[in-house]
Amino acid sequence: MAGRRIEVRGTVQGVGFRPWVYRLAQRLDIRGRVRNDPRGVTIEAFGTDAGLAAFIQQLRVDVPSSARVVNLRSSSIPTVPVEGFVIESSDLEGTKALTIPPDLATCPQCLAELWDPGDRRYGYAFTNCTTCGPRFTIATGVPYDRPATTMSKFEMCSACQREYDDIEDRRFHAQPNACPDCGPTLSLLRLDGGAAHASEPLANAAELLTRGAVVAVKGLGGFHLACDASNAGAVRRLRERKHRDEKPFAVMVANVDAARQVAEVSAEEEALLTAPERPIVLLRRRGETRLAAEVSPDTPLLGLLLPYTPMHHLLLDAVGRPLVMTSANVSDEPICSENAEAVRRLAGIADAILLHDRDIAIRCDDSVARVIAGIPTVMRRSRGFVPRPFYLARPVSRPVLACGAHLKNTFCIASGDTAYFGPHIGDLETLAALQFFEAAIDSMQTILSVRPEVIAHDLHPGYLSTRYAMMRDDAIKVGVQHHHAHVMSAMAEHGLRGPVLGVVYDGTGFGEDGTSWGGEFLLCFPDRFERLATFRPVRLPGGDLAMREVWRVAYSLLHDAFDGSPPVDALGLFRDIAPESIRVVSQMIDRGLNAPRARGVGRYFDAFGAFALNRPFSTYEGQVAIAWDHAANESIGDAYAFAVDRTETPMEVDLRPTVRAAVEDLLSGAPSGDVSARFHNTLVHLTAELVERLLAEHGSPPVVLTGGVFQNARLTAGIVEKLSSKIKVLRHAEVPPGDGGIALGQALIADAFLGDKG
Ligand code: ZN
Ligand code: ZN
Ligand code: FE
């Protein structure tokens, strides 16, 4: 006989890990005990050497589908006589089960029951078990136990209680366990004056959907607005009512086969679609499909997701066609979560609401992912991921709250060797968003039992996230530069302490000199950075207005490239712009009035897209830039000229020759797709050239690509391909490359800045 202590870390609580260990121990004749501890699960195992080796081997390779073992350490302990194998309750030892798992997609066994007419949960929309179901979105406190969830108001029937108490049952300690006799129920509320069939809410909702209605659906982390994705009229109606003119809608399809009918799905993309997190996956849309073109105008990409609750499975089955599933908010407000609030906000938007009576404790939008140049990349980390721990290569010295950025806000709490991202908050521009931000921070602090001693925030004084930080008087505040935070997030993802050469391309971020940065080559350490190169600034006439009226940026870029005499008459872009507006913009630039300088690479995408595609306006952030990416003609391999001004520090990339060459190309009749390809190739060349040069000067540190622009697959793939034969280029995967990922970097920089002393 021998004894081992085995410490397992990762997502191992609330996912059926301990019962699984118990059954494994039974099978391999291992004695001992398993318990939750604040950092994961600890097992004390006694058995023969061969038995223990097999036991540990299984723990490494074959865990429950929703569990994720990040680290497993085992050490010898003295053998003591023990009877059998026991699961020790966490509470008895006075430790708290700190880690609440993320919400988990319905597992295959629960699905089988859902479709089995002989099963007592046949057709039951809230079926779940130890390895699947709601978690984070129903948690109201710690430890994660039924009384601390919004399931506390449902008393389990005797059949459910038996399952819950039976260690051999796959519903042992499944906190949201429920059945049609004792659990939550659905109801349908008509907002259009029609009568609902009280007995068949789901079938009734499905029938309305097939007739072209807009139906709000209460799900796990909030409400969706659904409509028939193959009905152009229905999709248009939804757009009008939601004031969402052109932004693509996500579409839910029944399964992978249904996904393949409307989009191209690679093996990696299939893995993303079917992962327990069930994110929206951006895929290349097929040419001829049953989907209405109105679903995603203007982009060849389609956001697809598979059902992740029994209710979604039932609904998709009942309608038998893909459904638009877009979060039920009015334009840029956060997703709504309460029934009464939903009824109030959705009147006039939805024709009916499919409701249920299980409360949402904390709202959580769908996550978004995409395979970018071969790497599955999380672009929005929310439902299914939150609050999964992210392990730090080096612990922080004190608990830190990082407030994130302004757009696509996500905050982060770091404590010890673990960091937790909060849910996607969205653009912090409205009171509703700020309230959600504050409430979500409060919830996460409670759930994690963390009181931050440090609050990290962006340098921009006007951001609501910065103002929130300023208002908290219970912690030390540390301002962190936006692009430094981007690089640090990528460093954390790869366990790097620096130096690292970070290439940061994004739309905007407050620089240390008070101007807008966004095309940065930074030599980074956790507590400091050196700015080695940047882009020549472009004036943004009208400030933020230039984000939507991208013709202003185009004008500004042309004005600079053509020494004050842009070829306005030759370019179609300006045909429909009032001459008076052009004159005003020109004066703003000449006088430097309300025309701040910005260096964001995203602005170059906007500007080139505008003048080459004749697209004066962007109805949402990045619209023209995305169209510009997708316009590129794959077969064009050459590039335009560019210049680099090396006389200053940081040196400056100068794209004026590129602008002139592109205009000349267009005026001599080149298709815009060729111009787009050459523009992208130019950025690839200049990035590679600068990286090689800077590496040579700075001792060849690792290179990371980060910032929202690296969601552009063409640019990313081009740079990686050009450099990877000589240089290892690291990218994001679990942490979003865009502003949704910077909170992690903010937290680590603030901690490093304060140093090791208390
Ligand atoms: Zn299940
Ligand atoms: Zn029951
Ligand atoms: Fe950014």
Side-chain angles (χ1 to χ4, degrees), residues 366-450:
D366 293 321
S367 296
V368 181
R370 182 184 181 192
V371 177
I372 299 175
I375 295 184
T377 312
V378 178
M379 291 164 63
R380 182 204 284 169
R381 188 183 161 104
S382 204
R383 178 193 44 78
F385 291 93
V386 180
R388 181 194 292 168
F390 181 94
Y391 291 102
L392 305 172
R394 190 165 133 168
V396 288
S397 301
R398 70 289 276 167
V400 188
L401 163 69
C403 296
H406 178 59
L407 298 176
K408 302 179 176 67
N409 178 282
T410 311
F411 62 86
C412 177
I413 293 175
S415 175
D417 64 355
T418 315
Y420 304 86
F421 277 102
H424 167 77
I425 304 291
D427 299 349
L428 261 184
E429 296 194 308
T430 61
L431 185 60
L434 181 64
Q435 285 166 343
F436 176 28
F437 173 76
E438 293 181 355
I441 288 174
D442 285 347
S443 297
M444 288 283 285
Q445 288 184 174
T446 304
I447 284 169
L448 302 170
S449 307
V450 170

Side-chain angles (χ1 to χ4, degrees), residues 405 482-483 486 504-509 707-708 737-739 742:
H482 184 96
H483 303 97
H486 269 301
V504 200
Y505 289 172
D506 71 356
T508 184
D739 284 1
I742 76 165

Side-chain angles (χ1 to χ4, degrees), residues 219-486:
L220 266 186
F223 284 74
H224 281 117
L225 286 166
C227 76
D228 179 354
S230 58
N231 180 335
V235 180
R236 265 199 303 274
R237 224 162 13 252
L238 176 52
R239 284 202 180 281
E240 282 159 19
R241 294 185 193 170
K242 212 188 162 197
H243 308 299
R244 184 158 169 155
D245 296 339
E246 288 165 23
K247 213 167 179 176
F249 284 140
V251 172
M252 186 178 274
V253 289
N255 49 45
V256 175
D257 284 342
R260 284 190 202 291
Q261 285 170 18
V262 294
E264 288 162 29
V265 184
S266 70
E268 284 157 324
E269 288 164 340
E270 179 176 343
L272 267 185
L273 268 177
T274 57
E277 299 89 2
R278 288 289 195 284
I280 295 168
V281 183
L282 299 187
L283 300 165
R284 189 158 279 272
R285 182 177 177 153
R286 282 192 191 282
E288 288 294 309
T289 75
R290 64 192 297 195
L291 294 189
E294 287 81 354
V295 166
S296 59
D298 216 34
T299 158
L301 299 182
L302 185 61
L304 290 185
L305 80 166
L306 300 186
Y308 51 89
T309 73
M311 185 202 62
H312 292 118
H313 282 284
L314 293 165
L315 192 62
L316 266 284
D317 181 66
V319 296
R321 65 193 77 182
L323 291 177
V324 165
M325 278 283 179
T326 183
S327 65
N329 48 12
V330 182
S331 55
D332 296 325
E333 304 231 309
I335 190 167
C336 42
S337 65
E338 279 170 36
N339 289 0
E341 177 201 3
V343 171
R344 199 171 56 244
R345 274 168 63 172
L346 296 173
I349 298 177
D351 298 305
I353 309 188
L354 185 60
L355 285 170
H356 60 70
D357 53 356
R358 185 184 67 208
D359 294 334
I360 296 169
I362 181 164
R363 53 188 128 177
C364 206
D365 274 270
D366 293 321
S367 296
V368 181
R370 182 184 181 192
V371 177
I372 299 175
I375 295 184
T377 312
V378 178
M379 291 164 63
R380 182 204 284 169
R381 188 183 161 104
S382 204
R383 178 193 44 78
F385 291 93
V386 180
R388 181 194 292 168
F390 181 94
Y391 291 102
L392 305 172
R394 190 165 133 168
V396 288
S397 301
R398 70 289 276 167
V400 188
L401 163 69
C403 296
H406 178 59
L407 298 176
K408 302 179 176 67
N409 178 282
T410 311
F411 62 86
C412 177
I413 293 175
S415 175
D417 64 355
T418 315
Y420 304 86
F421 277 102
H424 167 77
I425 304 291
D427 299 349
L428 261 184
E429 296 194 308
T430 61
L431 185 60
L434 181 64
Q435 285 166 343
F436 176 28
F437 173 76
E438 293 181 355
I441 288 174
D442 285 347
S443 297
M444 288 283 285
Q445 288 184 174
T446 304
I447 284 169
L448 302 170
S449 307
V450 170
R451 293 304 311 174
E453 292 169 24
V454 177
I455 298 189
H457 60 84
D458 196 89
L459 291 181
H460 198 302
Y463 284 1
L464 287 183
S465 55
T466 307
R467 292 200 213 159
Y468 167 85
M470 292 306 151
M471 268 158 20
R472 281 198 47 166
D473 49 15
D474 55 345
I476 305 168
K477 291 137 208 167
V478 181
V480 176
Q481 202 280 321
H482 184 96
H483 303 97
H484 186 200
H486 269 301

Side-chain angles (χ1 to χ4, degrees), residues 120-121 155-161 177-183:
R120 72 189 191 92
R121 290 189 176 84
E155 197 181 329
M156 274 187 271
C157 67
S158 55
C160 285
Q161 188 70 50
N177 189 27
C179 78
D181 289 336
C182 66

Side-chain angles (χ1 to χ4, degrees), residues 18 20 55 88 92 120 176 226 229 242 260 343 350 455 475 509 644 755:
R18 286 176 306 158
W20 175 84
F55 183 65
E88 288 182 346
L92 285 179
R120 72 189 191 92
K242 212 188 162 197
R260 284 190 202 291
V343 171
I455 298 189
V644 180

Side-chain angles (χ1 to χ4, degrees), residues 107 110 128-129 131-132 170:
C107 75
C110 285
N128 67 82
C129 73
T131 57
C132 80
R170 65 185 194 84

